Amino acid sequence: MSDLNEILLEEEAAADCGCDEKSTFVPDADAVIVGTNLTKRFGGMTAVDCVDFELREGEILGLIGPNGAGKSTLFNLVSGFLPIDVGTITFNGVKISGLNPDRICHLGLGRTFQAAKNFPDMNIFDNIRIGALFGIKGKSYEQADIETEEIIKFVGLEKYLKMAVPDLPLAIQKQLEVARALATKPTVIMLDELMAGLNPAEVDEAMALVRKIRSGGITVLMIEHVMKAIMAICDRIIVLHHGRLIAEGTPDEIANNPEVIEIYLGGEA
Amino acid sequence: MELLKRSFFGGKAAKIQFFAIIIAIVVLFFVPNFGSAYLPLFLAWVITYAVMSLAWTLFSGKTGYVSLASAAFYGTGMYVQAALGSNLPIVVSMIIAAAASFGVAFGIGLVTLRLRGVYFTIFTFGLSLFLNKFIHWYEVKFFHTKGHMVLAYDNLTVYYCVLVVFAIFLLVVIPMNKSRFGLALDCIGQNEDSAQHVGVNTTMTKVLAFAVSAAPVGAVGAAMATTIGYVDPDIAFKLLASFMPVLMAIFGGTHSVYGPIVGAIVFYSLQDYLLRELPGAYMIIFGCVMVAVILLMPKGIFGVIDTIIARRKRGFDGEVIGDV
Ligand SMILES: Nc1ncnc2c1ncn2[C@@H]1O[C@H](COP(=O)(O)OP(=O)(O)OP(=O)(O)O)[C@@H](O)[C@H]1O
Ligand SMILES: [Mg+2]
C-alpha cells in the first residue's frame, strides 16, 4: 500500500519535473548503477535535467560536457552528497537515492571530488589508511596497514610519502584521493577530472592508472575534459549539456556526433 | 583491551603520561590535607573548569564545530541536583545529572549537527538562553518561585566528587582519542565531506561525541551546585560558563589533554585573584586578556612552546635540522 503511494508520488513528481514524458528507460542487464529521471535544481537553475543513465559492469564510462553542464552535480547525486529532487538511483539493484554517503560507500561505491578533498593534517599513509579502516566495517588495524601499503604501490605514491599533504602537487593530491577511495575496496569508482591540469606525460600515467583500476575488477565512471584520454580509454561515453543527456555511444560515435561537435566547437570557436 | 594497552603503555610517551596522570590524581587526593580551609573549594572550581574545558576540546577541538552549550549542560546538572539532591546520595544524583546532560546533548545533537559552521554555534548559544528562560517560566508557573535551594555539602566532599569525575573522564578521553572513534572525529574536523565518503558515519559520530562530552559537565554541575546552596536559572545557565571553557582550551591549546587543564588552572586563578583584589575592574581586565589570547596565541600556550622549540632547532640559515 505504502509502496503504491510512493510510486504514485514519484510519478507525480516526475510529471512536474518538466520532463517531456515519463521515462521509458530500460537499463542493460549488466548495469550496476542505473539512474532514472534524475533531476536536480539549484534555485531556478536546473543543473541536472531528467537524466537516465546506466553504468555497466566492468566498463570505463566517460562523462563529458562543457563547463557547468552538470557533470559534477550528477556525481554528487549518485554518491549521496546532494539530495535528488526527482528520480531514483540503484546500485546493484538496491535503491541508493536517499542514503547517506557513508552507507553508499559501504555498499561499494568510491569517488573523488573535482577539487581534491584530503585530510590536510594527516600524512599520506594515514590519509589512505582512513579509507581502509572505515570503508569496510570491523577491519583490524593490521589489515588496514597492509592494504594501505599495497595501495600506495598500486597508485605509485611511494616517493611522496614524506611530504605534507597541502604541499603535494595538485595532480598528486588527486591521486591521493583516488588511493583513499580504492582503500575502501569499491566495486565502482567515480573519478571527477583526474587529469585536469596534468602535462602530457602525466596524462599518460593517469590513463595507465585508470586502466589498471579497471583490470583490478573495478567499474569506472569518469568525468574528463582531456579528449585524448577520454577517446583512448573509454568503452562508452555519455554527454551532458545544460543538464540534459544529449548523446550516448562509443568514442567513435561520439566523435562523429554532429550535436556533440556543435556544442564543443560552437562553444569554443 | 588492546586499545587500553596502546593508549597507556604503547611507547614511552604513553607510559610516562599514564603514570603522570596517576601520580597527579594521587597527589590531588591528598593535597587538601595541607592547605587552608579555602583550598578544597578553590581546587574544586579549578577541576570543574578543567573538566568543562576538556569536554569542550573533546568535541569542538576535534570536529571544529564550536559549541557554546557548556552552560546548558552545566546548568542541567545543577538543576538535577536541586531537584534530587535532598533525597539521593550525591553520587547517585551526579550520575543522573550526567545522564540528563548526555540526553539533552544527544537530542540537541540529532537536531542541530546537520547545521554547519556558525549556525551550529549560534544554536548552541541559544540553547543556554532558552533553557534559562524556559526553566524560569516553569518555576514561576508551577512553583511560584524563582530558584531552588540545594542541600549543601562540605567542600571536601565536593572536591572529591569532582576529582573522581575528572579522573574518570581523563581515563576515558585518552583511549578515546586513540580509538577509531577519535580518528573519525579527527577526520570530521579536517574534511567532513571526505570522511563521509570513505564510510565514516559522520552524523552519529558527532552526536555521540557531543553527548559524551556533555555528561561529565552535567556531573560537575551537580556537585558544584551544592557549594552554592541555591540555584536559579541565571546562576545555572550563566553565559560565562559557555565562554570560559572555550577560552581556557584556546589558551592551553586543543591538541593535547594538558592544554585545557593548564588553561583552566591559569584562568581560574586569574579570575579568582581579580575577583578578590579588583572586583570593580575584573570584567574589563578579564575581557582584555580574552582578546589578547585569541589574537596572539591561536594555537595556545603549547603551540607557542612548539614554535619556540622549532625555531631553536633551525640552523643559522633557517635550514631545518632534525624532525620539527
Ligand atoms: N551546490 C551548488 N549550489 C548552487 N549551484 C550549484 C551547486 N553545484 C553546482 N551548481 C551549479 O550547477 C551547474 C552545474 O555545475 P557542475 O559543477 O555540475 O558542472 P560541471 O559539468 O561539473 O562543470 P565543470 O566542467 O566546470 O566542472 C553550474 O551552473 C553550477 O554553478
Ligand atoms: Mg565539475
Side-chain angles (χ1 to χ4, degrees):
Chain A
M1 194 56 210
S2 73
D3 275 358
L4 185 63
N5 269 337
E6 209 171 89
I7 290 166
L8 284 175
L9 278 177
E10 266 170 24
E11 278 183 4
E12 218 169 86
D16 67 35
C17 81
C19 303
D20 301 334
E21 59 214 51
K22 203 177 147 281
S23 170
T24 51
F25 180 57
V26 182
D28 211 74
D30 57 357
V32 282
I33 293 184
V34 179
T36 330
N37 238 332
L38 300 182
T39 300
K40 179 70 188 176
R41 296 190 199 88
F42 295 113
M45 201 258 311
T46 307
V48 173
D49 194 359
C50 304
V51 169
D52 294 328
F53 84 100
E54 62 182 321
L55 176 67
R56 297 175 193 155
E57 174 132 38
E59 74 175 340
I60 299 179
L61 174 64
L63 170 55
I64 64 171
N67 290 112
K71 305 180 296 294
S72 298
T73 304
L74 185 64
F75 267 32
N76 290 339
L77 299 181
V78 176
S79 77
F81 189 49
L82 290 175
I84 309 182
D85 293 337
V86 183
T88 47
I89 304 170
T90 62
F91 180 36
N92 292 327
V94 180
K95 181 170 170 232
I96 56 168
S97 31
L99 296 185
N100 283 335
D102 50 307
R103 293 280 308 281
I104 295 175
C105 167
H106 286 146
L107 290 172
L109 186 94
R111 77 163 290 183
T112 66
F113 289 90
Q114 185 166 351
K117 292 179 190 262
N118 290 307
F119 303 118
D121 299 336
M122 290 182 198
N123 61 29
I124 292 184
F125 188 90
D126 282 346
N127 256 279
I128 300 169
R129 196 170 73 126
I130 294 296
L133 275 176
F134 290 100
I136 290 174
K137 285 186 180 162
K139 185 170 288 176
S140 74
Y141 285 87
E142 291 76 18
Q143 182 62 21
D145 286 353
I146 294 168
E147 290 175 12
T148 304
E149 296 283 0
E150 285 168 8
I151 284 165
I152 287 172
K153 286 204 195 87
F154 183 87
V155 179
L157 291 169
E158 296 98 329
K159 54 181 180 289
Y160 301 100
L161 286 178
K162 287 241 164 71
M163 284 175 76
V165 169
D167 299 339
L168 292 172
L170 275 185
I172 306 303
Q173 295 199 18
K174 291 198 162 184
Q175 288 177 21
L176 177 57
E177 220 188 356
V178 176
R180 188 172 46 248
L182 289 175
T184 67
K185 299 278 170 213
T187 55
V188 170
I189 192 165
M190 305 199 295
L191 306 170
D192 196 343
E193 297 200 21
L194 180 62
M195 300 173 194
L198 301 192
N199 66 38
E202 289 169 335
V203 167
D204 287 341
E205 279 176 28
M207 280 165 65
L209 175 62
V210 174
R211 285 204 176 98
K212 221 161 76 173
I213 290 171
R214 193 259 297 269
S215 315
I218 299 174
T219 306
V220 179
L221 171 56
M222 58 191 291
I223 296 176
E224 204 53 72
H225 281 298
V226 181
M227 279 306 149
K228 175 191 138 205
I230 278 282
M231 292 298 162
I233 62 175
C234 289
D235 302 308
R236 220 159 50 86
I237 295 173
I238 54 180
V239 187
L240 272 186
H241 185 42
H242 294 316
R244 290 199 158 240
L245 196 75
I246 58 156
E248 185 265 319
T250 63
D252 272 347
E253 287 164 3
I254 295 296
N256 297 313
N257 181 312
E259 206 178 347
V260 176
I261 293 170
E262 165 70 23
I263 64 167
Y264 269 92
L265 296 181
E268 280 167 25
Chain B
M1 217 43 224
E2 193 210 337
L3 176 65
L4 287 181
K5 244 198 217 153
R6 215 153 31 84
S7 309
F8 294 122
F9 303 108
K12 206 169 151 203
K15 265 183 214 151
I16 293 175
Q17 172 172 298
F18 180 66
F19 287 112
I21 290 171
I22 298 292
I23 290 169
I25 288 169
V26 170
V27 169
L28 282 172
F29 198 82
F30 290 109
V31 153
N33 298 336
F34 301 103
S36 69
Y38 175 63
L39 189 65
L41 186 60
F42 175 81
L43 287 178
W45 277 111
V46 171
I47 291 174
T48 296
Y49 276 117
V51 167
M52 290 173 77
S53 180
L54 264 178
W56 185 84
T57 309
L58 164 70
F59 176 74
S60 296
K62 274 186 172 286
T63 62
Y65 282 77
V66 175
S67 157
L68 289 177
S70 305
F73 305 144
Y74 184 71
T76 301
M78 282 191 143
Y79 259 90
V80 167
Q81 186 64 27
L84 305 175
S86 25
N87 302 322
L88 292 172
I90 186 162
V91 175
V92 177
S93 53
M94 280 171 72
I95 292 172
I96 295 173
S101 291
F102 183 97
V104 169
F106 196 89
I108 294 300
L110 277 182
V111 182
T112 61
L113 279 167
R114 288 164 213 282
L115 302 175
R116 290 204 180 178
V118 73
Y119 299 103
F120 174 76
T121 306
I122 291 171
F123 191 96
T124 55
F125 182 70
L127 176 65
S128 310
L129 286 175
F130 168 76
L131 285 176
N132 180 334
K133 299 298 170 212
F134 177 76
I135 290 185
H136 187 109
W137 168 83
Y138 185 86
E139 282 184 335
V140 170
K141 174 134 179 125
F142 295 100
F143 297 97
H144 307 290
T145 60
K146 185 183 177 199
H148 276 78
M149 304 306 285
V150 185
L151 184 68
Y153 280 84
D154 65 294
N155 291 344
L156 203 58
T157 307
V158 174
Y159 170 72
Y160 285 125
C161 285
V162 295
L163 183 59
V164 168
V165 174
F166 180 60
I168 294 175
F169 192 37
L170 262 187
L171 296 180
V172 168
V173 165
I174 291 171
M176 207 176 104
N177 282 341
K178 301 248 161 139
S179 70
R180 225 171 266 240
F181 184 66
L183 204 54
L185 287 172
D186 280 336
C187 293
I188 290 170
Q190 292 186 33
N191 196 318
E192 185 165 355
D193 297 338
S194 193
Q196 202 175 20
H197 278 86
V198 292
V200 176
N201 185 341
T202 50
T203 308
M204 246 4 244
T205 307
K206 285 184 294 183
V207 171
L208 253 186
F210 194 49
V212 166
S213 78
V217 177
V220 295
M224 296 316 285
T226 67
T227 68
I228 302 170
Y230 166 84
V231 294
D232 69 25
D234 293 331
I235 294 174
F237 300 100
K238 71 168 181 258
L239 294 177
L240 201 58
S242 282
F243 289 106
M244 286 291 277
V246 184
L247 182 67
M248 290 164 171
I250 291 174
F251 175 81
T254 55
H255 289 292
S256 71
V257 293
Y258 312 114
I261 297 173
V262 170
I265 295 170
V266 170
F267 272 89
Y268 185 72
S269 306
L270 180 69
Q271 183 188 346
D272 189 62
Y273 173 81
L274 289 177
L275 268 178
R276 267 184 295 128
E277 305 296 324
L278 301 162
Y282 152 67
M283 263 310 191
I284 297 171
I285 298 178
F286 208 69
C288 292
V289 174
M290 275 196 192
V291 172
V293 166
I294 290 169
L295 286 182
L296 301 178
M297 321 198 309
K299 281 188 183 164
I301 188 88
F302 284 101
V304 172
I305 293 172
D306 279 349
T307 321
I308 293 171
I309 293 174
R311 256 187 224 148
R312 295 191 56 180
K313 274 194 185 168
R314 273 170 223 270
F316 290 110
D317 46 341
E319 212 180 302
V320 181
I321 303 169
D323 260 354
V324 177

